[in-house]
Structure formats: structure tokens, C-alpha cells
Amino acid sequence: ILFMCELQKKSKISSSRKLGLKIRLLAVATQMLEEEKNQKMKEKEALLAERLPPLNLSGLSLQELQDLCKELHRKIDIVDEERYDVDLKVSKNDVEIENMKLKITEMQSKFKKPHLRRVKISAEAMLSVLLGSKHKESFDFKANLKTVKKEEEKKEEVTDWRKNVEAMSGMEGRKKLFDASGN
């Protein structure tokens, strides 16, 4: 039992200390996130103030207000066109990235077959490689093959058709043909 206890390593930090460190780390992380959010909001406000100065509508005539509205609509159209162009570029890039990812996965998953060379090896050598020490006797594979005898096809005797015409004419001839084909 003592041997097993020695094998198990005890952590140098107690569990209560670990918990305290985790709580402190989480508190610091949340504080950093809040600071980052505030900084982003300030940057956004500064950028908007730079691009869009505040509107001063007091003391403008009707014609000046209409001109101001037309100018704002023109700027909105320009911004919408730019946004559309950027969205189109982003979507094209996303499609291209997906296609490249697919190509990468296809290339990684393909198995390249090596070029095989023809090796001349006898049947006994192949058996000794495959079976190892179990291969003791040699086999004569050609001797074990069955021999196939080709049967000669029956050839019909070629006779002079003029001699057969009289014998095959009439019902008797047809009966002979029928009997010959049935056998």
C-alpha cells in the first residue's frame, strides 16, 4: 500500500488554493473584457464623429433642408454600394476558402499508389515467404492440375443432297427427320 501511495504524485497546491487562484483569474479576465468593450465603444464613437459631423438643423430654410436631405441620401447610396461590394467580396472569399478546404481534405485523404515493379519469383519461393518455416515440402503445381480433354464435335456426314431428296420427300421423310432430331 505504501508503494502505491508513493507512485501517485500529490499536487503541490492544495485544492482551496487552486480554487482561490481560479476565482482571481476569472475576476481579472472579466475586468479585462469590460475594459476592451469600453475601448471598442470609444473607438467606434470617435470614428463616427470623424466621418459624420453633427447636424445643425436650426436656422435652415426649406430649400437648404431639402438639399441637405438629398446630400444625405446620396451619401447613403454610396455607402450602400460600398457595403454591397464588400459583402460580395467577402462571400466570394468564403466560397473560395471552402473550395480550398475541400481540395486540401481531398489531397490529404488520397492514397498515392506506389509504382509496383514486376518481380519474378517461383512458386516455392513465394510459399516459403508466405508460410515461413511451415513450408517444408515442395509442391509441383503443374502436376496437380487437371487435364481437360477436348471432345470432338460430331460432324454430320456431308452427302449428296440429290440422293437424299427422294428419301426425304413426302411424309416418310419428315417422319425420319423428326425421329432423328428427337434422339
Side-chain angles (χ1 to χ4, degrees):
I1 296 174
L2 291 175
F3 180 71
M4 293 188 79
C5 290
E6 290 175 7
L7 288 178
Q8 295 175 349
K9 293 184 179 180
K10 286 191 172 183
S11 64
K12 296 178 182 179
I13 302 174
S14 67
S15 61
S16 61
R17 176 121 170 104
K18 280 185 189 179
L19 183 62
L21 288 174
K22 283 183 184 178
I23 291 172
R24 287 184 201 137
L25 281 174
L26 287 174
V28 169
T30 54
Q31 183 183 6
M32 289 173 68
L33 280 174
E34 285 294 324
E35 289 174 3
E36 191 175 325
K37 268 187 195 176
N38 292 336
Q39 184 180 1
K40 284 185 180 180
M41 288 296 290
K42 287 178 183 177
E43 288 176 2
K44 186 176 180 180
E45 289 174 3
L47 185 64
L48 286 175
E50 178 185 322
R51 286 193 176 187
L52 298 172
L55 291 177
N56 188 7
L57 300 178
S58 60
L60 294 178
S61 68
L62 182 64
Q63 184 64 32
E64 291 173 339
L65 285 173
Q66 287 177 348
D67 291 339
L68 181 64
C69 286
K70 288 179 184 178
E71 181 67 25
L72 289 175
H73 280 290
R74 189 182 59 76
K75 286 182 179 180
I76 289 172
D77 290 341
I78 291 172
V79 169
D80 280 343
E81 287 176 4
E82 289 176 1
R83 183 180 51 82
Y84 177 77
D85 291 341
V86 169
D87 285 344
L88 192 64
K89 286 179 183 177
V90 167
S91 64
K92 282 183 180 179
N93 287 341
D94 287 342
V95 168
E96 196 172 321
I97 288 170
E98 287 299 318
N99 288 340
M100 287 183 179
K101 284 181 181 178
L102 287 175
K103 286 180 183 179
I104 288 172
T105 55
E106 286 177 6
M107 290 173 64
Q108 288 175 346
S109 64
K110 282 186 181 175
F111 174 73
K112 294 183 179 179
K113 294 181 181 177
H115 295 287
L116 300 176
R117 290 180 287 153
R118 186 175 295 264
V119 178
K120 292 185 178 181
I121 187 169
S122 67
E124 289 183 25
M126 190 180 298
L127 280 175
S128 66
V129 168
L130 292 174
L131 299 176
S133 62
K134 294 179 183 177
H135 177 68
K136 295 183 179 177
E137 61 185 52
S138 64
F139 294 105
D140 187 13
F141 288 109
K142 289 183 181 179
N144 292 337
L145 294 176
K146 292 181 180 178
T147 56
V148 179
K149 295 180 182 177
K150 292 184 180 178
E151 295 181 18
E152 293 182 20
E153 295 180 15
K154 296 180 181 178
K155 295 183 180 179
E156 293 184 22
E157 296 177 15
V158 179
T159 56
D160 190 15
W161 63 273
R162 287 172 280 189
K163 293 179 184 175
N164 251 353
V165 170
E166 289 180 12
M168 294 295 178
S169 63
M171 285 300 281
E172 290 294 321
R174 289 195 179 121
K175 185 178 177 187
K176 288 179 188 176
L177 281 176
F178 181 74
D179 291 339
S181 66
N183 291 346

